[in-house]
Amino acid sequence: MQIEERWLSIVSHLYERESKLVEKYVLRPCVEHAGGGEYPLQDGFGWTNGVTRKLMQEDPSHEAHRCRAGQCRVD
């Protein structure tokens, strides 16, 4: 599924770079954070974390399983 692939790739790249998950993501390759809404961007977030975990469980071969906080891969 294309959405799953993009979601896990974006989340894992930001996790490697910043050592955290955040509430909102821009689902295209970029370095900026998503924004907007009624309050500032939150670190971690229930549904974001839950969706990421579920997608990783459903695709155990995805590259997101190999990412580590603070260790950016060389593409």
Side-chain angles (χ1 to χ4, degrees), residues 5 14 16 21 23 27 29 38 42 44 46 50 56 70:
E5 174 65 29
L14 188 132
E16 287 179 333
L21 298 180
E23 170 193 8
L27 291 180
E38 300 175 12
Q42 304 293 303
M56 289 178 73

Side-chain angles (χ1 to χ4, degrees), residues 40-70:
L41 182 66
Q42 304 293 303
D43 290 350
F45 203 70
W47 80 264
T48 304
N49 298 348
V51 167
T52 301
R53 182 176 180 191
K54 181 66 175 168
L55 292 175
M56 289 178 73
Q57 287 173 339
E58 291 179 358
D59 188 357
S61 65
H62 193 278
E63 68 179 17
H65 288 280
R66 294 184 296 278
C67 79
R68 299 292 178 260

Side-chain angles (χ1 to χ4, degrees), residues 7-55:
W7 176 263
L8 290 177
S9 293
I10 297 293
V11 170
S12 66
H13 284 290
L14 188 132
Y15 182 74
E16 287 179 333
R17 191 173 67 245
E18 299 190 17
S19 303
K20 64 182 179 180
L21 298 180
V22 295
E23 170 193 8
K24 300 173 186 171
Y25 294 86
V26 177
L27 291 180
R28 59 181 162 70
C30 65
V31 294
E32 75 236 19
H33 288 283
E38 300 175 12
Y39 49 85
L41 182 66
Q42 304 293 303
D43 290 350
F45 203 70
W47 80 264
T48 304
N49 298 348
V51 167
T52 301
R53 182 176 180 191
K54 181 66 175 168
L55 292 175

